[in-house]
Amino acid sequence: MNILIQVIGTIGILIKVVSIQKKEKSEILAYQGVAFMFISLQYFLLGVYTPASLNVSTSIRSFIFRGYTKNNKTIPIFWLFIFLSITLLFAIFTWNGYLALIPIINTSMYVISTWVKDAKWLRICFILAALLFMYYNFSVGAYTILAGNLLEVISGTNAVIKYDKKSK
């Protein structure tokens, strides 16, 4: 079972790494919506419920925000407050110690960075979240996602250089 759990995490992290290489924010969000479902499943199977529940919320948020982004519409601010509130509720109900602060902080960063129109902020948060999650994933035994976090940092840095630095 442990190998299957790690394979599920690997699929999620690979999709997430590919997502950040996409130029358009709507594409990033579509890939991330799928990736976060796989990652959520891995955390659930590992018995780590704070990030499992937060990643389900993140996946749903990715698809909702993608609908607005794809149609060049501004994401209404009420969605920002709804998903930050959901993050807080999941944090309260699944709290299991200070280590849970990492997925809570990361999810909050993702909510805000995906609400902002500029994909540059999404990429920067992606890198910061991967750095924080390296410690978390080591601590909870999500080793394939831990290895993937390193790929996320490399991929995210590459995307920032490729898309965000050239546009200046």
Side-chain angles (χ1 to χ4, degrees), residues 10-29:
T10 301
I11 293 168
I13 205 71
L14 290 174
I15 296 169
K16 197 172 170 196
V17 167
V18 168
S19 77
I20 207 65
Q21 290 301 314
K22 299 298 179 183
K23 184 175 183 177
E24 300 300 320
K25 185 176 174 185
S26 65
E27 288 183 273
I28 294 170
L29 292 172

Side-chain angles (χ1 to χ4, degrees), residues 7-25 27-40 42-43 51 54-56 58-59 61-62 102-103 105-107 109-111 113-114 122-134 136-137 142 144-157 159 163:
V7 167
I8 290 168
T10 301
I11 293 168
I13 205 71
L14 290 174
I15 296 169
K16 197 172 170 196
V17 167
V18 168
S19 77
I20 207 65
Q21 290 301 314
K22 299 298 179 183
K23 184 175 183 177
E24 300 300 320
K25 185 176 174 185
E27 288 183 273
I28 294 170
L29 292 172
Y31 277 81
Q32 286 191 354
V34 174
F36 284 119
M37 290 307 291
F38 280 98
I39 293 167
S40 178
Q42 182 187 35
Y43 283 132
L54 290 172
N55 277 292
V56 168
T58 300
S59 179
R61 187 233 343 114
S62 294
I102 293 173
I105 291 167
N106 282 357
T107 301
M109 283 192 317
Y110 274 129
V111 169
S113 68
T114 54
L122 179 57
R123 291 184 187 96
I124 290 169
C125 279
F126 187 87
I127 295 166
L128 293 173
L131 289 168
L132 283 171
F133 260 125
M134 289 173 101
Y136 183 85
N137 288 323
T144 54
I145 293 183
L146 169 65
N149 292 142
L150 181 59
L151 290 174
E152 288 178 285
V153 170
I154 294 166
S155 176
T157 303
Y163 297 123

Side-chain angles (χ1 to χ4, degrees), residues 43-44 46-54 87-105 133 135-136 139-141:
Y43 283 132
F44 178 78
L46 287 170
V48 191
Y49 301 114
T50 299
S53 60
L54 290 172
T87 299
L88 181 61
L89 285 173
F90 281 155
I92 291 168
F93 290 116
T94 63
W95 179 262
N96 62 347
Y98 290 106
L99 190 61
L101 284 172
I102 293 173
I104 294 164
I105 291 167
F133 260 125
Y135 175 76
Y136 183 85
S139 299
V140 301

